Amino acid sequence: MTASASDFVVKSCEIRHFGPHRAIPGRITGLVRVQIQELFLGNVTNYHLDLKVKADVGAVSTAEVRTALLAHAAHQLNKLKTRHTTKLAVAAE
């Protein structure tokens, strides 16, 4: 079975909440909810992932914080998508 990149699609992404880290100054932590649509063996599945995100940005505007948190979520999703769509080795018969 092979998988292609089109089998895993990010439909939406939103920041649920964010705020300063309790112990580390300059770090912002938050939660990003991502809606994913997956096609696997002919079945279409829609589901949500809640990603814990962080950014070491210091004192910047809210827009820059949101951008940094969404960038961290995108990085996590890219790693997940790579693992999800990597072709597995097939043993010889």
Side-chain angles (χ1 to χ4, degrees):
M1 180 178 93
T2 61
S4 67
S6 63
D7 294 340
F8 181 97
V9 179
V10 175
K11 301 301 273 183
S12 66
C13 189
E14 70 173 325
I15 296 177
R16 302 293 280 188
H17 62 82
F18 65 90
H21 192 275
R22 293 181 182 181
I24 302 173
R27 177 170 285 183
I28 305 294
T29 59
L31 186 78
V32 173
R33 175 163 281 183
V34 181
Q35 182 183 0
I36 294 178
Q37 184 177 61
E38 179 181 20
L39 175 62
F40 184 70
L41 297 175
N43 296 320
V44 176
T45 307
N46 292 302
Y47 55 92
H48 296 282
L49 289 178
D50 288 337
L51 302 174
K52 292 181 181 179
V53 291
K54 64 183 176 185
D56 294 321
V57 292
V60 295
S61 70
T62 302
E64 291 173 315
V65 169
R66 294 174 65 82
T67 300
L69 293 176
L70 288 171
H72 186 233
H75 178 70
Q76 289 181 5
L77 286 169
N78 284 334
K79 289 193 319 186
L80 176 65
K81 192 170 186 177
T82 299
R83 277 186 266 142
H84 190 272
T85 59
T86 301
K87 294 179 182 177
L88 301 175
V90 178
E93 293 183 17

Coordinates of all heavy atoms in Angstrom, one line a residue:
M1 N 0.8 -1.2 0.0 CA 0.0 0.0 0.0 C 0.9 1.2 0.0 O 1.8 1.3 0.8 CB -0.9 0.0 1.2 CG -1.8 1.2 1.3 SD -2.9 1.1 2.8 CE -1.9 2.0 3.9
T2 N 0.6 2.2 -0.8 CA 1.3 3.4 -0.9 C 0.4 4.6 -0.5 O -0.8 4.5 -0.6 CB 1.9 3.7 -2.3 OG1 0.8 3.8 -3.2 CG2 2.8 2.6 -2.7
A3 N 1.0 5.6 0.1 CA 0.3 6.7 0.5 C 0.8 8.0 -0.3 O 2.0 8.1 -0.5 CB 0.4 6.9 2.0
S4 N 0.0 8.9 -0.6 CA 0.4 10.1 -1.2 C 0.1 11.3 -0.3 O -0.7 11.1 0.6 CB -0.3 10.3 -2.6 OG -1.7 10.5 -2.4
A5 N 0.7 12.4 -0.6 CA 0.5 13.6 0.2 C -0.9 14.1 0.2 O -1.4 14.7 1.1 CB 1.5 14.7 -0.2
S6 N -1.7 13.8 -0.8 CA -3.0 14.3 -0.9 C -4.0 13.5 0.0 O -5.2 13.8 0.1 CB -3.5 14.2 -2.4 OG -3.6 12.9 -2.8
D7 N -3.5 12.4 0.6 CA -4.4 11.6 1.5 C -4.6 12.3 2.9 O -5.4 11.8 3.7 CB -3.8 10.2 1.7 CG -3.8 9.4 0.4 OD1 -4.6 9.8 -0.5 OD2 -3.0 8.5 0.4
F8 N -3.8 13.3 3.2 CA -3.8 14.0 4.5 C -3.9 15.5 4.2 O -3.0 16.1 3.8 CB -2.5 13.6 5.2 CG -2.3 14.1 6.5 CD1 -2.6 13.4 7.6 CD2 -1.8 15.4 6.7 CE1 -2.4 13.8 8.9 CE2 -1.5 15.9 8.0 CZ -1.8 15.1 9.1
V9 N -5.1 16.1 4.5 CA -5.3 17.5 4.2 C -5.7 18.3 5.5 O -6.6 17.9 6.2 CB -6.4 17.6 3.1 CG1 -6.6 19.1 2.8 CG2 -6.0 16.8 1.9
V10 N -5.0 19.4 5.7 CA -5.4 20.3 6.8 C -6.5 21.2 6.3 O -6.3 21.9 5.3 CB -4.2 21.1 7.2 CG1 -4.6 22.1 8.3 CG2 -3.1 20.2 7.8
K11 N -7.7 21.1 6.9 CA -8.8 21.9 6.5 C -8.9 23.2 7.1 O -9.3 24.2 6.5 CB -10.1 21.1 6.7 CG -10.2 19.7 6.0 CD -10.0 19.8 4.5 CE -11.4 20.1 3.9 NZ -11.4 20.1 2.5
S12 N -8.6 23.3 8.4 CA -8.6 24.6 9.1 C -7.7 24.6 10.3 O -7.3 23.5 10.8 CB -10.1 24.9 9.6 OG -10.5 24.0 10.6
C13 N -7.4 25.7 10.8 CA -6.4 25.9 11.9 C -6.8 27.1 12.7 O -7.0 28.2 12.1 CB -5.0 26.0 11.3 SG -3.7 25.9 12.5
E14 N -7.0 27.0 14.0 CA -7.3 28.1 14.8 C -6.6 28.1 16.2 O -6.4 27.0 16.8 CB -8.8 28.2 15.1 CG -9.4 27.2 16.0 CD -10.8 27.4 16.3 OE1 -11.3 28.5 16.4 OE2 -11.5 26.4 16.4
I15 N -6.2 29.2 16.7 CA -5.6 29.3 18.0 C -6.8 29.4 19.0 O -7.6 30.2 19.0 CB -4.8 30.6 18.1 CG1 -3.6 30.5 17.2 CG2 -4.3 30.8 19.6 CD1 -2.7 31.7 17.2
R16 N -6.8 28.4 20.0 CA -7.8 28.3 21.0 C -7.5 29.3 22.1 O -8.4 30.0 22.6 CB -7.9 26.9 21.5 CG -8.3 25.9 20.4 CD -9.6 26.1 19.8 NE -10.6 25.5 20.7 CZ -11.9 25.4 20.5 NH1 -12.3 25.8 19.4 NH2 -12.7 24.9 21.4
H17 N -6.3 29.3 22.6 CA -5.9 30.2 23.7 C -4.3 30.2 23.7 O -3.7 29.3 23.2 CB -6.4 29.8 25.0 CG -6.0 28.4 25.5 ND1 -4.8 28.2 26.1 CD2 -6.6 27.2 25.4 CE1 -4.6 26.9 26.4 NE2 -5.7 26.3 26.0
F18 N -3.8 31.3 24.3 CA -2.4 31.4 24.6 C -2.1 32.4 25.7 O -3.0 33.2 26.1 CB -1.6 31.8 23.3 CG -2.0 33.2 22.8 CD1 -1.2 34.3 23.2 CD2 -3.0 33.4 21.9 CE1 -1.5 35.6 22.7 CE2 -3.3 34.7 21.4 CZ -2.5 35.8 21.8
G19 N -1.0 32.3 26.3 CA -0.6 33.1 27.4 C 0.9 32.9 27.8 O 1.5 32.0 27.2
P20 N 1.4 33.7 28.7 CA 2.8 33.6 29.1 C 3.0 32.3 29.8 O 2.2 31.8 30.5 CB 3.0 34.8 30.0 CG 1.7 35.2 30.5 CD 0.7 34.8 29.4
H21 N 4.2 31.7 29.6 CA 4.6 30.5 30.4 C 4.8 30.9 31.8 O 5.2 32.0 32.2 CB 5.9 30.0 29.8 CG 6.3 28.6 30.2 ND1 7.0 28.4 31.4 CD2 6.1 27.4 29.7 CE1 7.2 27.1 31.6 NE2 6.6 26.5 30.5
R22 N 4.4 29.9 32.7 CA 4.5 30.2 34.2 C 5.9 30.4 34.7 O 6.2 31.2 35.6 CB 3.8 29.1 34.9 CG 2.3 29.1 34.7 CD 1.7 28.0 35.5 NE 0.3 27.9 35.2 CZ -0.6 27.1 35.7 NH1 -0.1 26.2 36.6 NH2 -1.8 27.1 35.4
A23 N 6.9 29.6 34.1 CA 8.2 29.6 34.7 C 9.3 30.2 33.8 O 10.3 30.7 34.3 CB 8.6 28.2 35.0
I24 N 9.1 30.3 32.5 CA 10.1 30.8 31.6 C 9.7 32.1 31.0 O 8.8 32.3 30.3 CB 10.3 29.8 30.4 CG1 10.6 28.4 31.0 CG2 11.4 30.3 29.5 CD1 10.7 27.3 29.9
P25 N 10.4 33.2 31.4 CA 10.1 34.5 30.9 C 10.4 34.6 29.4 O 11.3 34.0 28.9 CB 11.1 35.4 31.6 CG 11.8 34.6 32.6 CD 11.6 33.2 32.3
G26 N 9.5 35.3 28.7 CA 9.6 35.5 27.2 C 9.0 34.3 26.4 O 9.0 34.4 25.2
R27 N 8.6 33.3 27.0 CA 8.0 32.2 26.3 C 6.5 32.3 26.4 O 5.9 32.5 27.5 CB 8.4 30.8 26.9 CG 7.7 29.6 26.2 CD 8.3 28.3 26.5 NE 9.6 28.2 25.8 CZ 10.3 27.1 25.9 NH1 10.0 26.1 26.6 NH2 11.5 27.1 25.2
I28 N 5.8 32.0 25.3 CA 4.4 32.0 25.2 C 3.9 30.6 24.9 O 4.5 29.9 24.0 CB 3.9 33.0 24.1 CG1 4.4 34.4 24.3 CG2 2.3 32.9 24.0 CD1 3.9 35.1 25.5
T29 N 2.9 30.1 25.5 CA 2.4 28.7 25.2 C 0.9 28.9 24.9 O 0.3 29.8 25.2 CB 2.6 27.8 26.5 OG1 1.8 28.3 27.6 CG2 4.0 27.6 26.8
G30 N 0.5 27.9 24.2 CA -0.9 27.9 23.8 C -1.4 26.6 23.2 O -0.7 25.6 23.2
L31 N -2.6 26.7 22.6 CA -3.2 25.5 22.1 C -3.8 25.9 20.7 O -4.5 26.9 20.6 CB -4.3 25.0 23.0 CG -5.0 23.7 22.5 CD1 -4.0 22.5 22.9 CD2 -6.3 23.5 23.2
V32 N -3.5 25.1 19.7 CA -4.0 25.3 18.3 C -4.8 24.1 18.0 O -4.4 22.9 18.1 CB -2.8 25.5 17.3 CG1 -3.4 25.5 15.9 CG2 -2.1 26.8 17.6
R33 N -6.0 24.3 17.5 CA -6.9 23.2 17.0 C -6.9 23.2 15.5 O -7.1 24.1 14.8 CB -8.4 23.4 17.5 CG -9.3 22.3 16.9 CD -10.6 22.2 17.6 NE -10.4 21.5 18.8 CZ -11.3 21.2 19.7 NH1 -12.5 21.5 19.4 NH2 -11.1 20.5 20.8
V34 N -6.6 22.0 15.0 CA -6.4 21.7 13.6 C -7.5 20.7 13.1 O -7.6 19.7 13.8 CB -5.0 21.2 13.2 CG1 -4.9 21.0 11.8 CG2 -4.0 22.2 13.8
Q35 N -8.2 21.0 12.1 CA -9.1 20.0 11.5 C -8.4 19.4 10.3 O -7.9 20.1 9.4 CB -10.4 20.7 11.0 CG -11.4 19.7 10.5 CD -12.7 20.4 9.9 OE1 -12.8 21.6 10.0 NE2 -13.6 19.6 9.4
I36 N -8.4 18.0 10.3 CA -7.8 17.3 9.3 C -8.8 16.4 8.6 O -9.7 15.8 9.2 CB -6.6 16.4 9.9 CG1 -5.6 17.4 10.5 CG2 -6.0 15.4 8.9 CD1 -4.4 16.7 11.1
Q37 N -8.6 16.2 7.3 CA -9.4 15.3 6.5 C -8.4 14.2 6.0 O -7.4 14.6 5.4 CB -10.1 15.9 5.4 CG -11.0 15.0 4.6 CD -11.7 15.7 3.5 OE1 -11.1 16.3 2.6 NE2 -13.0 15.8 3.6
E38 N -8.7 13.0 6.2 CA -7.8 11.9 5.8 C -8.6 10.9 4.9 O -9.7 10.5 5.2 CB -7.3 11.2 7.1 CG -6.4 10.0 6.8 CD -6.0 9.3 8.1 OE1 -6.7 9.5 9.1 OE2 -5.0 8.6 8.0
L39 N -7.9 10.5 3.8 CA -8.5 9.4 3.0 C -7.6 8.2 3.1 O -6.4 8.2 2.9 CB -8.4 9.9 1.5 CG -8.8 8.9 0.5 CD1 -10.3 8.5 0.7 CD2 -8.7 9.4 -0.9
F40 N -8.2 7.1 3.7 CA -7.4 5.9 4.0 C -8.3 4.7 3.6 O -9.4 4.5 4.1 CB -7.1 5.9 5.5 CG -6.2 4.7 5.8 CD1 -4.9 4.6 5.4 CD2 -6.7 3.7 6.6 CE1 -4.1 3.5 5.8 CE2 -6.0 2.6 6.9 CZ -4.6 2.5 6.5
L41 N -7.8 3.9 2.7 CA -8.5 2.8 2.1 C -9.9 3.1 1.7 O -10.8 2.4 1.9 CB -8.5 1.7 3.2 CG -7.2 1.1 3.7 CD1 -7.4 0.1 4.8 CD2 -6.5 0.4 2.5
G42 N -10.0 4.2 1.0 CA -11.3 4.6 0.4 C -12.3 5.3 1.4 O -13.3 5.7 1.0
N43 N -11.9 5.4 2.7 CA -12.7 6.0 3.7 C -12.2 7.4 4.0 O -11.0 7.6 4.2 CB -12.7 5.2 5.0 CG -13.3 3.9 4.8 OD1 -14.3 3.7 4.1 ND2 -12.7 2.9 5.4
V44 N -13.2 8.4 4.0 CA -12.8 9.8 4.3 C -13.2 10.0 5.8 O -14.3 9.7 6.2 CB -13.6 10.8 3.4 CG1 -13.3 12.2 3.9 CG2 -13.3 10.6 2.0
T45 N -12.2 10.5 6.5 CA -12.3 10.7 8.0 C -12.0 12.2 8.3 O -10.9 12.6 7.8 CB -11.5 9.8 8.8 OG1 -11.7 8.4 8.4 CG2 -11.7 10.0 10.3
N46 N -12.8 12.9 9.0 CA -12.5 14.2 9.5 C -12.3 14.2 11.0 O -13.1 13.6 11.7 CB -13.6 15.2 9.1 CG -13.7 15.4 7.6 OD1 -12.8 15.9 7.0 ND2 -14.9 15.1 7.1
Y47 N -11.2 14.8 11.4 CA -11.0 14.8 12.9 C -10.2 16.1 13.3 O -9.7 16.8 12.4 CB -10.3 13.5 13.4 CG -9.0 13.2 12.7 CD1 -7.8 13.7 13.2 CD2 -9.0 12.4 11.5 CE1 -6.6 13.3 12.6 CE2 -7.8 12.1 10.9 CZ -6.6 12.6 11.4 OH -5.5 12.3 10.8
H48 N -10.2 16.3 14.6 CA -9.5 17.5 15.1 C -8.3 17.0 15.9 O -8.4 16.0 16.6 CB -10.5 18.3 16.1 CG -11.6 18.9 15.4 ND1 -11.6 20.0 14.7 CD2 -12.9 18.5 15.4 CE1 -12.8 20.3 14.2 NE2 -13.6 19.4 14.6
L49 N -7.3 17.8 15.8 CA -6.1 17.6 16.7 C -5.9 18.9 17.5 O -6.0 20.0 16.9 CB -4.8 17.4 15.8 CG -4.7 16.1 15.1 CD1 -3.4 16.1 14.2 CD2 -4.7 15.0 16.0
D50 N -5.6 18.7 18.8 CA -5.3 19.9 19.6 C -3.8 19.8 19.8 O -3.3 18.9 20.4 CB -6.0 19.8 20.9 CG -7.5 20.2 20.8 OD1 -7.8 20.8 19.8 OD2 -8.3 19.8 21.7
L51 N -3.0 20.8 19.3 CA -1.6 20.9 19.4 C -1.2 21.9 20.4 O -1.6 23.0 20.4 CB -1.0 21.3 18.0 CG -1.3 20.4 16.8 CD1 -0.8 21.0 15.5 CD2 -0.8 19.0 17.0
K52 N -0.3 21.4 21.3 CA 0.3 22.3 22.3 C 1.4 23.0 21.6 O 2.3 22.4 21.0 CB 0.8 21.6 23.5 CG -0.2 21.0 24.4 CD 0.3 20.3 25.6 CE -0.7 19.7 26.4 NZ -0.2 19.0 27.6
V53 N 1.4 24.3 21.6 CA 2.5 25.1 20.9 C 3.2 26.1 21.8 O 2.7 26.4 22.9 CB 1.8 25.9 19.7 CG1 1.4 25.0 18.6 CG2 0.7 26.8 20.2
K54 N 4.4 26.5 21.4 CA 5.1 27.4 22.2 C 5.9 28.3 21.3 O 6.2 28.0 20.1 CB 6.0 26.7 23.2 CG 7.1 25.9 22.5 CD 7.9 25.1 23.5 CE 8.9 24.2 22.7 NZ 9.6 23.4 23.6
A55 N 6.3 29.5 21.8 CA 7.2 30.4 21.0 C 8.0 31.2 22.0 O 7.4 31.7 23.0 CB 6.3 31.3 20.1
D56 N 9.3 31.4 21.7 CA 10.1 32.2 22.5 C 10.3 33.5 21.8 O 11.2 33.7 21.0 CB 11.5 31.5 22.8 CG 11.4 30.3 23.6 OD1 10.6 30.3 24.6 OD2 12.1 29.3 23.3
V57 N 9.3 34.5 22.1 CA 9.3 35.7 21.3 C 9.6 36.9 22.1 O 9.8 38.0 21.6 CB 7.9 35.9 20.6 CG1 7.8 34.8 19.5 CG2 6.8 35.8 21.6
G58 N 9.5 36.9 23.4 CA 9.7 38.0 24.3 C 8.5 38.9 24.2 O 7.4 38.5 24.1
A59 N 8.8 40.2 24.3 CA 7.7 41.2 24.3 C 7.4 41.7 22.9 O 8.2 42.6 22.4 CB 8.0 42.4 25.2
V60 N 6.4 41.2 22.2 CA 6.1 41.6 20.8 C 4.6 41.7 20.8 O 3.8 41.5 21.7 CB 6.5 40.5 19.8 CG1 8.1 40.4 19.8 CG2 5.9 39.2 20.1
S61 N 4.1 42.2 19.6 CA 2.6 42.4 19.5 C 1.9 41.1 19.4 O 2.5 40.0 19.2 CB 2.4 43.2 18.2 OG 2.6 42.3 17.1
T62 N 0.6 41.2 19.7 CA -0.3 40.0 19.6 C -0.2 39.3 18.3 O -0.2 38.1 18.2 CB -1.7 40.4 20.0 OG1 -1.7 41.0 21.3 CG2 -2.6 39.2 20.0
A63 N -0.2 40.1 17.2 CA -0.2 39.5 15.9 C 1.1 38.7 15.7 O 1.0 37.6 15.1 CB -0.3 40.6 14.8
E64 N 2.2 39.1 16.2 CA 3.5 38.4 16.0 C 3.5 37.1 16.9 O 4.0 36.1 16.4 CB 4.6 39.3 16.4 CG 4.9 40.4 15.4 CD 5.9 41.4 15.8 OE1 5.9 41.8 17.0 OE2 6.8 41.7 15.0
V65 N 2.8 37.2 18.0 CA 2.7 36.0 18.9 C 1.9 35.0 18.2 O 2.2 33.8 18.1 CB 2.1 36.4 20.3 CG1 1.7 35.1 21.0 CG2 3.1 37.2 21.1
R66 N 0.7 35.4 17.6 CA -0.1 34.5 16.9 C 0.6 33.8 15.7 O 0.5 32.6 15.5 CB -1.4 35.2 16.5 CG -2.3 35.6 17.6 CD -3.5 36.5 17.2 NE -4.4 35.7 16.4 CZ -5.4 34.9 16.9 NH1 -5.5 34.7 18.2 NH2 -6.2 34.2 16.1
T67 N 1.3 34.6 15.0 CA 2.1 34.1 13.8 C 3.1 33.1 14.3 O 3.3 32.0 13.7 CB 2.8 35.3 13.1 OG1 1.8 36.2 12.6 CG2 3.6 34.8 11.9
A68 N 3.8 33.4 15.4 CA 4.8 32.4 15.9 C 4.2 31.1 16.3 O 4.7 30.0 16.1 CB 5.6 33.1 17.0
L69 N 3.1 31.2 17.0 CA 2.4 30.0 17.5 C 1.9 29.2 16.3 O 2.0 27.9 16.3 CB 1.2 30.3 18.4 CG 1.7 30.9 19.8 CD1 0.5 31.4 20.6 CD2 2.6 30.0 20.6
L70 N 1.3 29.8 15.3 CA 0.8 29.1 14.1 C 2.0 28.5 13.3 O 1.9 27.4 12.8 CB 0.0 30.0 13.2 CG -1.4 30.4 13.8 CD1 -2.1 31.5 12.9 CD2 -2.3 29.1 13.9
A71 N 3.1 29.2 13.3 CA 4.3 28.6 12.7 C 4.8 27.3 13.4 O 5.2 26.4 12.7 CB 5.4 29.6 12.6
H72 N 4.7 27.3 14.7 CA 5.1 26.1 15.5 C 4.1 25.0 15.2 O 4.5 23.8 15.0 CB 5.2 26.4 17.0 CG 5.7 25.3 17.8 ND1 5.0 24.8 18.8 CD2 6.8 24.5 17.7 CE1 5.6 23.8 19.4 NE2 6.7 23.6 18.6
A73 N 2.8 25.3 15.1 CA 1.8 24.3 14.8 C 2.1 23.8 13.3 O 2.0 22.5 13.1 CB 0.4 24.9 14.9
A74 N 2.4 24.6 12.4 CA 2.7 24.2 11.0 C 3.9 23.3 11.0 O 3.9 22.2 10.3 CB 3.0 25.4 10.1
H75 N 4.9 23.6 11.8 CA 6.1 22.7 11.9 C 5.7 21.3 12.4 O 6.1 20.3 11.9 CB 7.1 23.3 12.8 CG 8.4 22.5 13.0 ND1 9.3 22.3 12.0 CD2 8.8 21.9 14.1 CE1 10.3 21.5 12.5 NE2 10.0 21.3 13.7
Q76 N 4.9 21.3 13.5 CA 4.4 20.0 14.0 C 3.6 19.2 13.0 O 3.8 18.0 12.8 CB 3.6 20.2 15.3 CG 4.4 20.7 16.5 CD 3.5 20.8 17.7 OE1 2.3 20.5 17.7 NE2 4.1 21.3 18.7
L77 N 2.7 19.9 12.3 CA 1.9 19.3 11.2 C 2.8 18.7 10.1 O 2.5 17.6 9.5 CB 0.9 20.2 10.7 CG -0.3 20.5 11.6 CD1 -1.1 21.6 11.1 CD2 -1.1 19.2 11.8
N78 N 3.8 19.4 9.7 CA 4.7 19.0 8.6 C 5.4 17.7 9.1 O 5.6 16.8 8.3 CB 5.7 20.0 8.2 CG 5.1 21.1 7.4 OD1 4.1 20.9 6.7 ND2 5.7 22.3 7.4
K79 N 5.8 17.6 10.3 CA 6.5 16.4 10.8 C 5.5 15.2 10.8 O 5.8 14.1 10.4 CB 7.1 16.6 12.2 CG 8.3 17.5 12.2 CD 9.0 17.5 13.5 CE 8.2 17.5 14.8 NZ 9.0 17.6 16.0
L80 N 4.3 15.5 11.3 CA 3.2 14.5 11.3 C 2.9 14.0 9.9 O 2.8 12.8 9.6 CB 2.0 15.0 12.0 CG 0.8 14.1 12.0 CD1 1.1 12.9 12.9 CD2 -0.4 14.8 12.6
K81 N 2.8 14.9 9.0 CA 2.4 14.6 7.6 C 3.5 13.7 7.0 O 3.3 12.8 6.2 CB 2.2 15.9 6.8 CG 1.5 15.6 5.5 CD 1.1 16.9 4.8 CE 0.3 16.7 3.6 NZ -0.2 17.9 3.0
T82 N 4.8 14.1 7.2 CA 5.9 13.3 6.7 C 5.9 11.9 7.2 O 6.0 11.0 6.5 CB 7.2 14.0 7.1 OG1 7.2 15.3 6.5 CG2 8.4 13.2 6.6
R83 N 5.7 11.7 8.5 CA 5.6 10.4 9.1 C 4.4 9.6 8.6 O 4.4 8.4 8.4 CB 5.5 10.5 10.6 CG 6.8 10.6 11.3 CD 6.7 10.5 12.8 NE 6.6 11.9 13.2 CZ 5.8 12.3 14.2 NH1 5.1 11.5 14.9 NH2 5.8 13.6 14.6
H84 N 3.3 10.3 8.3 CA 2.0 9.7 7.9 C 2.1 9.2 6.5 O 1.5 8.2 6.1 CB 0.9 10.7 8.1 CG -0.4 10.1 7.9 ND1 -1.1 10.0 6.7 CD2 -1.3 9.5 8.8 CE1 -2.2 9.4 6.9 NE2 -2.4 9.1 8.1
T85 N 2.8 10.0 5.6 CA 2.8 9.7 4.2 C 4.1 9.0 3.7 O 4.2 8.7 2.5 CB 2.6 11.0 3.4 OG1 3.6 11.9 3.7 CG2 1.3 11.6 3.7
T86 N 5.0 8.7 4.6 CA 6.2 8.0 4.2 C 5.9 6.6 3.8 O 5.2 5.8 4.5 CB 7.2 8.0 5.4 OG1 7.5 9.3 5.8 CG2 8.5 7.3 5.0
K87 N 6.5 6.2 2.7 CA 6.3 4.8 2.2 C 7.1 3.9 3.0 O 8.3 4.1 3.3 CB 6.7 4.7 0.7 CG 5.8 5.5 -0.2 CD 6.3 5.4 -1.6 CE 5.5 6.3 -2.5 NZ 5.9 6.2 -3.9
L88 N 6.4 2.8 3.5 CA 7.1 1.8 4.3 C 7.7 0.8 3.4 O 7.2 0.4 2.4 CB 6.0 1.2 5.3 CG 5.3 2.1 6.2 CD1 4.3 1.3 7.0 CD2 6.3 2.7 7.2
A89 N 8.8 0.3 3.9 CA 9.5 -0.8 3.2 C 8.7 -2.1 3.2 O 8.1 -2.4 4.2 CB 10.9 -1.1 3.8
V90 N 8.6 -2.7 2.1 CA 7.9 -4.0 2.0 C 8.8 -5.1 1.9 O 9.8 -5.1 1.1 CB 7.0 -3.9 0.7 CG1 6.2 -5.2 0.5 CG2 6.0 -2.7 0.7
A91 N 8.6 -6.1 2.7 CA 9.5 -7.3 2.7 C 9.3 -8.1 1.4 O 8.2 -8.2 0.9 CB 9.2 -8.2 3.9
A92 N 10.4 -8.6 0.9 CA 10.4 -9.5 -0.3 C 9.8 -10.8 0.1 O 10.0 -11.3 1.2 CB 11.8 -9.6 -0.8
E93 N 9.1 -11.4 -0.8 CA 8.4 -12.7 -0.6 C 9.3 -13.8 -1.2 O 10.0 -13.7 -2.1 CB 7.0 -12.7 -1.2 CG 6.1 -11.8 -0.5 CD 4.7 -11.9 -1.1 OE1 4.4 -12.8 -1.8 OE2 3.9 -10.9 -0.8

